[in-house]
Amino acid sequence: MKKWLAGLSLAGLLALGGSGAMAAEKTDYIVTFSGQSIPQSLITQMEGFGAEIIQEVPQIGVVNVSSSNPDFKAWAESQSGIAAISEDVEIRSPETEYEFAYRFDEGLRVDTVGPDLYEEYQWDIKRVTNNGASWDIQPGNHDVVVAIIDSGVDTTHPDLQRNLLYAKSFVPGTADNSYSGNHGTHVAGTIAANGRVMGVGPKLAIASYRVSNWTSILAGITAAADDGVDVANLSLGTYSFMNNEQQRTLHLTASRAVRYAQGKGMFIVGANGNNAIDLGKKMHTVPGEGAQWSGPLHDTFSDIPWVISVSSSTINDELAFYSNYGNVDLAGPGGDTSARTLSTVSGGYGYMIGTSMAAPKVAAAIGVVKAQNPDMKPAQIRALLQQTADGGTGTSRQHFGHGIVNVYNALKR
């Protein structure tokens, strides 16, 4: 199942779709080894079997393999050193709800003094920072790094350049500073823009990790953990059923990557999805249609312990019409069609909505609290943000978990 459904294709979510096969005669596979390392003997056997190794994630024992041999999958399943094999998946960023607000190439001044667009349009950033009051206490610093594991970031954007430390690409054949679409750039601005628009932590350090398929997501997470990143934002993912072979593999590999990050002390913040599903239930039903699937449904990242799951709120502090709920730790303003979120995009500034816009507010809040309290343990930071969030009682508890993140409250505690 994809993390977007027909009729709701939001730019605020990176969605998974299809297999990695670009042609009928060739298929890309995710191969997960039994141990959390890559046995070279099996790699040699795979290559002898005509398989091409596209990408390796040695930290968690996963490789991306391309093969045109119709017997390859059956052979891999027969090997005791291979725990799981399934077709790979690609991610793509639909932008049907994306809209340019201001373009550099249409005469937009780039030398404007002060955050004029923030003042006029960024209600969401004001909501999280108490109208920017949190910046007077702690705007972040470059000792704390937030990773944007996404579609890549426009490294030339003037509102991001002061805080963007580096960019890496885990998409084979692309440059480290490359990007696809505007999703990652919008997320980056939400975290640490400092110009005409502002982020939650306008002096936080950010780093771009461009990904494209499932294996590259795993590679991005483990590389960020090895790089000493403090918190990673994942505005992407998929759902999984434990009775589906491919989705079991996705969940297994995601769990390994999350545990690896946890061992390195790196927070992971995950967008909870844009399909208005109650993830707290084992079954989702639609009146007049009945059950939509059988068995428990898991969000492949945000359902994993250690990942902070984020739902989306509106300008009126209500659950956004598209936001998943039920299995939620915190919420962040992600907007809806009546009040969208403005941030950086390639060539200017643009509007998007989605849980993808909510999650980076929480990731940035973690970074700011870490900057203020460098010796605070991850569990303490998480508890502080939960205790100082707004409105996590009654029905809103199901929608927002502990509440809508409020970095000003956290810094004042």
Side-chain angles (χ1 to χ4, degrees):
M1 182 176 183
K2 303 170 186 176
K3 197 161 186 170
W4 61 280
L5 301 179
L8 183 60
S9 181
L10 298 173
L13 183 71
L14 283 176
L16 291 172
S19 75
M22 299 302 292
E25 69 274 8
K26 203 165 190 178
T27 304
D28 290 355
Y29 297 98
I30 306 168
V31 177
T32 308
F33 296 105
S34 300
Q36 296 198 40
S37 61
I38 298 176
Q40 290 305 309
S41 59
L42 281 174
I43 293 293
T44 300
Q45 291 181 57
M46 287 180 185
E47 291 173 334
F49 214 76
E52 177 189 358
I53 310 302
I54 299 172
Q55 191 168 38
E56 298 186 2
V57 191
Q59 301 95 324
I60 58 172
V62 174
V63 294
N64 186 211
V65 177
S66 182
S67 177
S68 58
N69 189 325
D71 298 323
F72 176 76
K73 187 171 184 290
W75 170 84
E77 289 172 335
S78 71
Q79 303 303 303
S80 60
I82 295 177
I85 178 173
S86 69
E87 290 189 19
D88 200 3
V89 290
E90 294 180 355
I91 61 173
R92 56 193 175 95
S93 178
E95 297 194 350
T96 56
E97 294 292 332
Y98 160 72
E99 181 184 345
F100 253 117
Y102 302 95
R103 295 178 184 268
F104 294 147
D105 60 5
E106 292 180 348
L108 175 65
R109 289 177 58 198
V110 297
D111 59 347
T112 300
V113 177
D116 60 319
L117 298 181
Y118 157 76
E119 295 289 353
E120 189 168 358
Y121 300 111
Q122 288 190 283
W123 62 270
D124 54 323
I125 303 300
K126 293 176 182 179
R127 173 66 176 82
V128 175
T129 64
N130 193 20
N131 295 315
S134 65
W135 303 332
D136 294 331
I137 305 171
Q138 178 57 256
N141 57 53
H142 284 197
D143 292 332
V144 177
V145 182
V146 181
I148 299 139
I149 300 176
D150 212 291
S151 60
V153 174
D154 179 2
T155 60
T156 68
H157 199 290
D159 288 23
L160 300 177
Q161 285 184 313
R162 279 177 286 183
N163 291 328
L164 186 60
L165 298 188
Y166 59 86
K168 296 185 178 183
S169 178
F170 295 88
V171 181
T174 62
D176 281 339
N177 63 351
S178 63
Y179 59 94
S180 174
N182 287 296
H183 190 276
T185 304
H186 198 281
V187 168
T190 301
I191 295 169
N194 193 334
R196 297 196 70 181
V197 298
M198 300 291 282
V200 173
K203 293 189 178 180
L204 284 171
I206 52 176
S208 173
Y209 291 75
R210 183 185 174 188
V211 298
S212 64
N213 63 358
W214 194 256
T215 312
S216 66
I217 294 172
L218 304 174
I221 292 171
T222 53
D226 286 342
D227 290 340
V229 162
D230 296 282
V231 52
N233 186 82
L234 290 178
S235 290
L236 47 81
T238 186
Y239 304 121
S240 57
F241 303 89
M242 293 303 99
N243 59 352
N244 178 283
E245 176 189 65
Q246 183 186 57
Q247 294 161 3
R248 280 199 306 272
T249 298
L250 299 183
H251 196 81
L252 169 63
T253 56
S255 297
R256 285 190 182 186
V258 170
R259 287 196 301 271
Y260 186 83
Q262 181 178 7
K264 296 280 188 173
M266 184 179 80
F267 275 103
I268 296 179
V269 177
N272 212 28
N274 291 358
N275 300 124
I277 296 171
D278 182 354
L279 293 175
K281 292 183 177 180
K282 294 183 180 297
M283 186 77 68
H284 178 65
T285 61
V286 174
E289 297 182 14
Q292 301 299 293
W293 55 76
S294 59
L297 179 70
H298 301 272
D299 184 277
T300 307
F301 277 108
S302 66
D303 197 48
I304 299 171
W306 183 258
V307 177
I308 297 176
S309 172
V310 181
S311 63
S312 180
S313 62
T314 70
I315 195 171
N316 297 315
D317 288 351
E318 298 171 341
L319 183 72
F321 71 90
Y322 53 80
S323 180
N324 289 349
Y325 57 99
N327 176 36
V328 182
D329 294 308
L330 288 165
D336 62 11
T337 52
S338 64
R340 299 167 294 174
T341 68
L342 182 72
S343 186
T344 48
V345 296
S346 179
Y349 307 90
Y351 290 108
M352 291 186 183
I353 64 173
T355 55
S356 282
M357 284 61 254
K361 272 106 178 175
V362 175
I366 291 170
V368 169
V369 171
K370 177 72 173 176
Q372 181 74 1
N373 305 280
D375 296 326
M376 189 175 281
K377 304 296 184 185
Q380 294 173 311
I381 294 175
R382 183 174 189 149
L384 177 61
L385 289 175
Q386 292 173 341
Q387 292 163 6
T388 56
D390 297 320
T393 60
T395 302
S396 63
R397 179 87 177 184
Q398 184 187 26
H399 291 168
F400 298 151
H402 292 272
I404 301 170
V405 68
N406 189 314
V407 69
Y408 176 77
N409 287 350
L411 293 173
K412 289 287 285 184
R413 175 63 67 92

